[in-house]
């Protein structure tokens, strides 16, 4: 602990962590999309369904007419999602505090959606296989006659569908939030949405994640220790300088560039997906700290 009471970390650990983060970011650049691909809906097609208040606070993208489906077919669910989006805000302290993203931020959405009946849902299913076998008999005139064999007992593959979970589901709408997980989490989320959709459980999915606009801002937000005090470098060229949260929110975590790359590649299959990106306008004390 330094004289000013700030938490310090070992220089060697920091340097190794920074080097690893730089290596990861360099390797992940090819897996980042700067914007929606040609398979995404055009803004004129979906902006009419998203309120100006929401569009002012979030980056919005729609795939497979998700916005139209949600607004027209499930207006009550859309209204509840919009209420959750508009009530959401966070602070620089929440961003900088360790573990805050795993608990505080999701709870902000849960406080609106859970009382409205949005529940965590897991899908499981066995695959039942029936065989229809036909015998063919060649008869006079080079003709053939087919006859159905007696049906054999069906074959069952247990747990053919298993482990696909979505945090918030109501009716035929799914909603999920990824603030700062490993970017492979998006593959899990999109595969879950795809499976729920293919099984006829949902008609549309909604995902919320960090906008790319937050990436440069993280350079200016201080990293905090578990006691809420700023963390300083203790060695190397940056000794004595405060750490930012940039290392914590790297290119290999869940943010919009990683999600759009996967959506542009069609990893959501035929499931319509509506995406909202959390921008700096939702950081309550950001303007006062600039």
């Amino acid at each position: 602990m330094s004289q000013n009471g700030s938490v310090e970390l070992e220089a060697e650990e920091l340097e190794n962590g920074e080097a690893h983060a730089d290596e990861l970011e360099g390797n992940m650049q090819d897996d980042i999309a700067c914007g929606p691909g040609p398979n995404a809906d055009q803004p004129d097609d979906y902006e009419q369904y998203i309120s100006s208040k929401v569009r002012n606070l979030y980056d919005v993208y729609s795939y497979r007419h998700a916005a139209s489906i949600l607004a027209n077919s499930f207006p009550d669910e859309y209204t509840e999602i919009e209420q959750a989006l508009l009530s959401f805000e966070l602070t620089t302290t929440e961003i900088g505090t360790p573990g805050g993203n795993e608990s505080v931020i999701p709870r902000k959405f849960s406080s609106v959606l859970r009382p409205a009946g949005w529940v965590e849902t897991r899908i499981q299913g066995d695959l039942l296989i029936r065989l229809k076998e036909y015998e063919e008999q060649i008869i006079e005139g080079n003709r053939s006659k087919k006859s159905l064999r007696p049906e054999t007992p069906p074959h069952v593959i247990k747990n053919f569908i298993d482990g696909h979970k979505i945090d918030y589901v109501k009716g035929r709408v799914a909603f999920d939030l990824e603030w700062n997980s490993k970017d492979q989490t998006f593959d899990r989320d999109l595969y879950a949405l795809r499976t729920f959709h293919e099984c006829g459980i949902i008609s549309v999915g909604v995902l919320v994640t960090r906008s790319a606009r937050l990436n440069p801002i993280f350079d200016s937000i201080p990293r905090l220790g578990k006691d809420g005090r700023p963390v300083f470098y203790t060695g190397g060229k940056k000794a004595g300088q405060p750490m930012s949260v940039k290392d914590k929110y790297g290119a290999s975590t869940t943010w919009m560039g990683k999600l759009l790359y996967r959506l542009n590649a069609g990893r959501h299959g035929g499931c319509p997906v509506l995406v909202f990106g959390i921008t700096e306008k939702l950081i309550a004390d950001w303007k006062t700290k600039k």
Side-chain angles (χ1 to χ4, degrees):
M1 184 116 18
S2 62
Q3 292 181 350
N4 61 7
S6 302
V7 177
E8 296 177 342
L9 300 179
E10 293 296 331
E12 182 178 357
E13 179 184 348
L14 293 174
E15 290 170 0
N16 290 339
E18 284 185 318
H20 181 59
D22 291 341
E23 180 182 355
L24 282 174
E25 292 197 16
N27 292 336
M28 295 293 181
Q29 291 303 315
D30 292 338
D31 297 339
I32 294 173
C34 297
N39 59 327
D41 302 334
Q42 295 300 309
D44 289 343
D45 295 332
Y46 64 81
E47 287 184 348
Q48 59 184 305
Y49 303 111
I50 310 298
S51 72
S52 58
K53 291 182 179 180
V54 172
R55 286 188 281 112
N56 181 55
L57 298 172
Y58 295 84
D59 294 337
V60 183
Y61 305 101
S62 177
Y63 287 76
R64 293 190 173 273
H65 308 290
S68 173
I69 294 170
L70 181 61
N72 290 311
S73 298
F74 309 100
D76 293 339
E77 287 82 355
Y78 171 68
T79 297
E80 291 165 0
I81 289 175
E82 185 177 76
Q83 289 173 348
L85 293 171
L86 292 176
S87 66
F88 175 79
E89 68 175 13
L90 66 167
T91 66
T92 54
T93 299
E94 290 169 341
I95 294 172
T97 301
N101 55 292
E102 287 85 9
S103 56
V104 175
I105 292 174
R107 280 205 302 267
K108 293 174 182 285
F109 284 95
S110 292
S111 65
V112 176
L113 297 178
R114 295 298 190 212
W118 293 77
V119 295
E120 180 182 300
T121 304
R122 179 175 177 177
I123 186 173
Q124 294 176 298
D126 303 330
L127 179 63
L128 178 66
I129 301 173
R130 298 188 182 93
L131 295 180
K132 297 289 185 179
E133 298 177 311
Y134 295 85
E135 292 183 348
E136 184 175 9
Q137 181 182 6
I138 305 301
I139 59 178
E140 185 181 353
N142 204 28
R143 293 177 299 166
S144 64
K145 180 180 179 181
K146 292 183 179 180
S147 58
L148 178 64
R149 282 184 172 182
E151 188 170 329
T152 59
H155 175 60
V156 178
I157 301 178
K158 292 288 187 180
N159 299 320
F160 185 79
I161 298 174
D162 193 14
H164 305 295
K165 179 179 72 69
I166 298 177
D167 287 342
Y168 305 88
V169 177
K170 184 176 182 180
R172 298 186 59 84
V173 180
F175 177 94
D176 220 333
L177 163 72
E178 296 298 347
W179 171 253
N180 189 40
S181 303
K182 293 295 184 182
D183 68 295
Q184 292 89 348
T185 305
F186 281 144
D187 294 314
R188 180 200 68 190
D189 293 340
L190 293 176
Y191 191 40
L193 290 176
R194 180 174 183 166
T195 303
F196 271 67
H197 184 263
E198 289 175 349
C199 291
I201 306 300
I202 65 170
S203 297
V204 63
V206 180
L207 291 175
V208 177
T209 192
R210 301 184 342 249
S211 167
R213 290 158 56 179
L214 290 184
N215 291 344
I217 290 175
F218 290 160
D219 280 327
S220 303
I221 296 179
R223 187 170 183 173
L224 306 176
K226 293 182 179 179
D227 60 357
R229 297 172 178 171
V231 177
F232 286 75
Y233 291 99
T234 61
K237 296 180 180 179
K238 296 183 179 180
Q241 297 181 23
M243 294 182 65
S244 72
V245 297
K246 180 181 179 181
D247 296 337
K248 180 181 174 184
Y249 299 97
S252 60
T253 58
T254 47
W255 61 285
M256 187 61 71
K258 288 291 188 176
L259 178 56
L260 292 182
Y261 172 82
R262 288 163 166 82
L263 289 168
N264 292 345
R267 296 188 188 178
H268 55 304
C271 182
V273 178
L274 182 61
V275 179
F276 295 95
I278 298 169
T279 72
E280 75 284 354
K281 293 182 180 181
L282 291 159
I283 305 176
D285 57 343
W286 171 243
K287 290 184 179 180
T288 62
K289 293 199 173 188
K290 286 200 298 182

